[in-house]
Amino acid sequence: VSGLFSNPVKSTNADGTTTLQGTWEPYACGNGSCEGYVQAGARSVFVRFPNSCPVPVRESQIVVTGRLAPDLGNASYRAVGCARPA
């Protein structure tokens, strides 16, 4: 049981990317782009996917690798690939 104190940031990898895991909640998807939130417990991070990625299903458990993207806001990541099931 992960609970309220879970964190969607699972690890920082040697190449500087970060592995994120949690429940997907889309914010704005369309015209080939998609961005939203990966949530675990009470914490969430914002993620923008590359234009070539399929949109994850709302409330699905996903894993995605990304790089910090301060230009998108605090606790924001730009995915380096598409989401995969957790």
Side-chain angles (χ1 to χ4, degrees), residues 39-82:
Q39 181 175 346
R43 298 180 185 186
S44 64
V45 294
F46 184 79
V47 177
R48 179 178 289 169
F49 287 101
N51 289 344
S52 60
C53 290
V55 177
V57 175
R58 178 186 297 273
E59 297 183 6
S60 61
Q61 294 292 313
I62 65 167
V63 175
V64 63
T65 303
R67 292 191 186 282
L68 272 173
D71 59 309
L72 298 177
N74 189 32
S76 296
Y77 293 82
R78 189 168 275 111
V80 296
C82 300

Side-chain angles (χ1 to χ4, degrees), residues 6-30:
S6 295
N7 190 338
V9 176
K10 295 302 175 190
S11 64
T12 300
N13 308 310
D15 64 358
T17 60
T18 301
T19 300
L20 309 167
Q21 182 176 344
T23 304
W24 170 249
E25 285 298 328
Y27 173 69
C29 298

